[in-house]
Amino acid sequence: MKKLLALPLTFALAASALAACGPQEDSSSTGGKKESAADKPEKLVMWEDQEKGAGTKDAIKKFEEKYGIKVELKEIPMLDQQEKLRLDGPAKKGPDVITTPHDRIGPLAIEGLIAPIEVSDDVTKLYTESSINALTYDGKLYGLPKSTETPVFIYNKKQMPEAPESLEDVLAFSKGDKGGAQYGFLANWTDFYFANGVLSGYGSYVFKDDNGTLDPKDLGLSNKGAVEGLDYITSWYKDGLFPKGIIGEKAGQTIDGLFQEGKVASVMNGPWSFQGYKDAGIDIGVAPMPKLPNGEDVKTFIGVKGYNVSQFSPNQEWAAKLVEFITNEESAKTRFEKTAEIPPVVSLMEDPIIADNEAAKAVAVQSERGVPMPNIPEMAEVWAPAANALQLSATGKSEPKAALESAVKTIGQNIEANHGKK
């Protein structure tokens, strides 16, 4: 879900704790009061993403058997759910639970479409810290994570037998025989979604994180680390290792085409690309991103999809309980088996279902190293100016420092104009 989210993964668990709790005993859910038998609704309505319902049906059946509440599952395209909730919620015909990418959490919360939930530490510690942070806005938790994704290192095993440990090794490979390929490595580093991993690895940040609250007035995209990161990115273009055709809006398509044609040995891309590469007949290997020259990890943006409770639900306590149930370790494992979407559940990291799956393990490990894409509305002002700075630097039209300082100035002005208090 590039830019949806727009996705981190160490994996521990509390399914047994959930299984032991009865509806009158469990006080970990939202709402500030314990449910009683009188509070129990006959039915909850859950909106799941299109063609993903099979991943939650087993969990829903067990929830129904445990609590005696019918769950009506409806498949609705995830990105359509926000608008539909805006209309159906006030009309009292909306859902109790929706699913959404985490970068929409801020706007949804501000608009009053989703409700914060309160869960115990035993619940939140089941998931990676980064995935919980991704679903937190203004200090409040707005759901639990169901899956995560982030860019990784993908290589053609015929041309590159194993993944290099560092980008220095990738650079040396790219300057050598390249396994018979025309290019050793390509990355869409004039797209801020991909480039941010490099900049962050050198010490930049988008918005300052103050104990889980992002400060849109404190931008770190022109600090020393950001400049060093863009210097490094630009060096690949200056040295002719990246072709001119991978700058701008169509760069991603160009990279995909070259990799599918066997003209590039390795690329930086996300799990959404795996099947297309396989369909093109490429025997792909997948690994976490190789380390930067400064010894740090590439801190890619991670995207998290979560389940959230509707603000319009009259059954928010039970809706939160359903969210807990369908995202616990057992449910998450079943969902992965049926959807291949990787759950950020700590204990599953060492489970063979992830550990023995090269691609899933790579995404899981890289997700641990990444940073959640900012989920505040002000993030909308970042993409275009940041991309412009990257492109100006890559083409040699501006020095990295000047390009980034100009971008930060524009971002700040746009944030003030579009998000400042009226």
Side-chain angles (χ1 to χ4, degrees):
M1 293 297 305
K2 175 187 164 192
K3 290 188 185 174
L4 292 179
L5 321 207
L7 357 272
L9 283 184
T10 32
F11 297 105
L13 144 84
S16 58
L18 283 172
C21 292
Q24 297 188 37
E25 303 160 337
D26 186 354
S27 59
S28 62
S29 296
T30 186
K33 66 173 183 175
K34 296 182 181 180
E35 300 86 347
S36 67
D39 296 321
K40 185 188 296 186
E42 293 184 3
K43 182 178 76 171
L44 293 170
V45 177
M46 174 180 163
W47 287 355
E48 176 60 283
D49 196 10
Q50 199 166 29
E51 299 181 356
K52 301 296 183 183
T56 51
K57 285 183 178 179
D58 287 351
I60 285 173
K61 182 178 179 181
K62 291 177 181 178
F63 179 87
E64 292 175 331
E65 293 172 349
K66 180 177 178 64
Y67 295 111
I69 300 173
K70 173 69 177 176
V71 178
E72 181 180 344
L73 179 66
K74 295 183 178 180
E75 289 190 355
I76 297 173
M78 182 170 59
L79 300 185
D80 293 344
Q81 291 186 24
Q82 180 173 333
E83 179 61 28
K84 188 169 175 59
L85 178 62
R86 187 177 290 120
L87 299 174
D88 291 357
K92 298 183 179 180
K93 58 179 182 180
D96 298 284
V97 174
I98 68 167
T99 183
T100 193
H102 87 263
D103 64 325
R104 295 195 174 197
I105 293 296
L108 285 166
I110 290 172
E111 194 175 344
L113 297 180
I114 56 175
I117 66 172
E118 295 179 6
V119 296
S120 69
D121 290 343
D122 285 341
V123 173
T124 56
K125 74 181 183 182
L126 300 182
Y127 312 97
T128 62
E129 182 179 359
S130 55
S131 67
I132 290 296
N133 288 343
L135 295 173
T136 300
Y137 174 72
D138 198 21
K140 298 178 181 178
L141 182 63
Y142 281 88
L144 292 175
K146 69 171 183 175
S147 65
T148 187
E149 61 187 13
T150 195
V152 288
F153 187 79
I154 307 169
Y155 57 102
N156 185 329
K157 290 183 177 180
K158 182 178 179 181
Q159 298 164 333
M160 182 182 283
E162 59 184 11
E165 292 292 323
S166 71
L167 283 171
E168 296 279 77
D169 295 332
V170 177
L171 180 65
F173 177 88
S174 297
K175 291 181 176 180
D177 65 15
K178 296 175 280 294
Q182 186 175 355
Y183 301 100
F185 170 68
L186 296 179
N188 191 4
W189 281 342
T190 57
D191 182 328
F192 184 60
Y193 175 75
F194 293 98
N196 181 70
V198 176
L199 303 186
S200 291
Y202 276 95
S204 78
Y205 56 88
V206 182
F207 304 116
K208 188 69 173 181
D209 188 339
D210 183 13
N211 293 320
T213 299
L214 300 178
D215 183 356
K217 294 183 179 180
D218 189 338
L219 294 159
L221 291 177
S222 61
N223 66 12
K224 181 181 178 182
V227 175
E228 289 178 356
L230 187 50
D231 275 333
Y232 178 68
I233 285 174
T234 302
S235 70
W236 285 77
Y237 294 90
K238 286 182 177 179
D239 292 347
L241 300 173
F242 285 0
K244 295 180 179 180
I246 67 162
I247 293 176
E249 293 183 359
K250 296 184 179 180
Q253 297 176 10
T254 302
I255 291 172
D256 280 346
L258 290 170
F259 190 71
Q260 290 170 354
E261 293 168 9
K263 294 180 179 179
V264 55
S266 61
V267 296
M268 177 187 187
N269 213 338
W272 52 83
S273 68
F274 294 165
Q275 193 58 50
Y277 293 161
K278 292 176 182 177
D279 291 344
I282 306 298
D283 181 14
I284 65 170
V286 185
M289 287 298 299
K291 288 186 179 296
L292 291 163
N294 64 355
E296 297 294 327
D297 292 320
V298 176
K299 297 179 180 178
T300 49
F301 272 143
I302 66 164
V304 177
K305 299 173 189 174
Y307 291 112
N308 321 95
V309 174
S310 167
Q311 183 67 62
F312 304 101
S313 170
N315 307 298
Q316 290 182 17
E317 297 89 346
W318 284 99
K321 189 183 294 293
L322 174 60
V323 168
E324 285 185 36
F325 197 94
I326 62 177
T327 58
N328 67 24
E329 183 192 42
E330 180 183 0
S331 300
K333 184 174 181 177
T334 299
R335 188 177 185 282
F336 171 71
E337 291 173 333
K338 297 190 176 182
T339 67
E341 292 190 324
I342 300 164
V345 176
V346 176
S347 60
L348 292 182
M349 172 66 84
E350 302 304 326
D351 190 291
I353 196 171
I354 297 291
D356 294 345
N357 182 318
E358 180 187 63
K361 181 70 177 289
V363 174
V365 171
Q366 184 60 44
S367 291
E368 287 187 273
R369 300 173 180 175
V371 294
M373 191 182 306
N375 63 9
I376 60 176
E378 289 85 352
M379 185 62 187
E381 313 305 334
V382 174
W383 298 110
N388 187 53
L390 295 169
Q391 292 174 30
L392 287 172
S393 183
T395 56
K397 296 178 181 178
S398 177
E399 290 299 311
K401 188 174 189 295
L404 290 171
E405 288 177 344
S406 177
V408 166
K409 182 179 179 180
T410 300
I411 293 167
Q413 291 173 340
N414 290 345
I415 287 176
E416 180 62 29
N418 298 324
H419 304 275
K421 293 183 179 180
K422 305 299 183 184

